[in-house]
């Protein structure tokens, strides 16, 4: 197994296992998944959908340029599409927690988990919008020079988001400990959440390593087709 493939397998482990752990945690120790007004189980969609959006889908989007031997143009569309799908799951996850807190009379945005989470979401949205504006070429836009200058900042922001996602999840796990006051040390419940935190840290390490560990894998480039290009003005030309 090549070094590159080994890191990809490690990443997939870190991206899939948290989903399995959250589903097990909710079904085993909580009240399952119920999207129903007034039912406290609505909250349980929050960690699940945030993990799907940020860890699984966004994680794959981040490493797209390093793992897929496709043309750069094709990978741009895959990268953008995955991030947009991730955004949908993230928004649903936020709706779940805000509705639940409102229905249960819990004050929103009071914890460091929620503050870091909102900052992470805001940076993710800004990153997505700036990426679409600068790198996507359905409409003729930024020059290659501008794209080249912006790319290091785009990659750095991606690394920052992965780091903030990890911190947000870890603080969320700690916050959950506060809500479950009867949880005792080394209980099965605590072990599931602790292992979830460790796997998420492992996931972040694999994403950052893959992102910064080599050149982009790509196939021979195909010249892009601009669907909407600016038409030069001929107002000053002689008839």
């Amino acid at each position: 197994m090549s070094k590159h493939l080994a890191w990809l397998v490690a990443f997939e482990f870190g991206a899939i296992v948290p989903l399995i752990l959250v589903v097990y945690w909710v079904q085993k120790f909580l009240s399952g998944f119920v999207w129903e007004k007034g039912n406290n189980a609505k909250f349980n969609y929050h960690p699940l959908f945030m993990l799907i959006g940020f860890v699984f889908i966004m994680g794959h989007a981040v490493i797209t340029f390093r793992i897929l031997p496709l043309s750069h143009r094709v990978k741009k569309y895959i990268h953008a599409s995955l991030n947009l799908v991730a955004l949908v799951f993230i928004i649903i996850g936020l709706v779940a927690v805000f509705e639940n807190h409102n229905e249960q009379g819990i004050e929103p945005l009071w914890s460091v988990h929620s503050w870091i989470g909102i900052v992470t979401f805001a940076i993710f949205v800004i990153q997505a919008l700036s990426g679409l504006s600068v790198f996507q070429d359905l409409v003729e836009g930024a020059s290659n020079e501008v794209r080249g200058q912006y790319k290091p900042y785009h990659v750095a922001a991606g690394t920052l988001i992965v780091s903030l996602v990890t911190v947000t999840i870890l603080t969320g796990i700690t916050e959950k400990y506060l809500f479950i006051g009867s949880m005792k040390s080394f209980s099965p419940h605590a072990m599931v959440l602790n292992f979830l935190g460790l796997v998420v840290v492992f996931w972040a390490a694999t994403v950052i390593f893959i992102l910064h560990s080599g050149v982009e894998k790509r196939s021979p480039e195909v010249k892009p087709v601009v669907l909407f290009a600016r038409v030069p003005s001929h107002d000053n030309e002689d008839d």
Side-chain angles (χ1 to χ4, degrees):
M1 181 183 294
S2 67
K3 180 180 178 181
H4 185 84
L5 181 58
W7 275 102
L8 178 57
V9 170
F11 162 79
E12 295 296 345
F13 173 86
I16 295 173
V17 170
L19 302 182
I20 297 173
L21 287 174
V22 164
V23 171
Y24 174 78
W25 168 56
V26 169
Q27 297 292 353
K28 176 72 174 179
F29 300 104
L30 302 181
S31 50
F33 298 98
V34 181
W35 196 292
E36 188 177 85
K37 186 174 181 179
N39 194 321
N40 197 41
K42 181 187 292 186
F43 168 84
N44 299 336
Y45 283 99
H46 173 66
L48 176 64
F49 277 72
M50 301 307 273
L51 282 172
I52 292 174
F54 274 124
V55 173
F56 187 78
I57 302 178
M58 188 202 73
H60 281 88
V62 170
I63 67 173
T64 295
F65 291 96
R66 295 291 185 264
I67 64 173
L68 296 180
L70 303 172
S71 72
H72 185 75
R73 179 179 173 82
V74 170
K75 288 190 290 188
K76 280 201 300 183
Y77 290 128
I78 294 174
H79 176 77
S81 298
L82 287 174
N83 278 318
L84 290 176
V85 173
L87 181 61
V88 172
F89 278 95
I90 292 165
I91 290 174
I92 296 174
L94 289 174
V95 170
V97 70
F98 277 107
E99 284 192 0
N100 172 259
H101 283 186
N102 181 61
E103 293 165 3
Q104 301 298 322
I106 301 173
E107 184 177 357
L109 302 178
W110 62 272
S111 65
V112 67
H113 165 70
S114 58
W115 284 28
I116 298 175
I118 291 299
V119 170
T120 304
F121 176 71
I123 296 176
F124 175 76
V125 172
I126 294 171
Q127 171 85 331
L129 292 176
S130 62
L132 287 172
S133 301
V134 175
F135 294 113
Q136 297 303 319
D137 49 16
L138 286 176
V139 179
E140 187 177 53
S143 65
N144 289 333
E145 181 181 0
V146 171
R147 294 179 183 186
Q149 292 175 346
Y150 176 71
K151 183 178 178 180
Y153 297 100
H154 190 70
V155 173
T159 305
L160 174 62
I161 292 170
V162 170
S163 302
L164 287 174
V165 165
T166 306
V167 173
T168 303
I169 293 172
L170 296 180
T171 54
I173 291 172
T174 303
E175 181 178 316
K176 196 61 181 176
Y177 284 144
L178 298 178
F179 275 96
I180 308 174
S182 60
M183 183 184 295
K184 297 180 180 180
S185 300
F186 301 110
S187 68
H189 193 165
M191 290 301 98
V192 171
L193 291 180
N194 288 348
F195 190 60
L196 171 62
L198 288 176
V199 177
V200 169
V201 171
F202 177 79
W203 163 82
T206 62
V207 173
I208 293 172
F209 180 86
I210 293 173
L211 183 61
H212 294 279
S213 65
V215 297
E216 175 184 341
K217 290 173 66 66
R218 68 167 74 184
S219 64
E221 195 66 54
V222 178
K223 185 177 180 180
V225 177
V226 178
L227 300 182
F228 304 99
R230 291 191 293 267
V231 178
S233 175
H234 298 283
D235 293 342
N236 297 328
E237 293 186 2
D238 295 333
D239 294 331

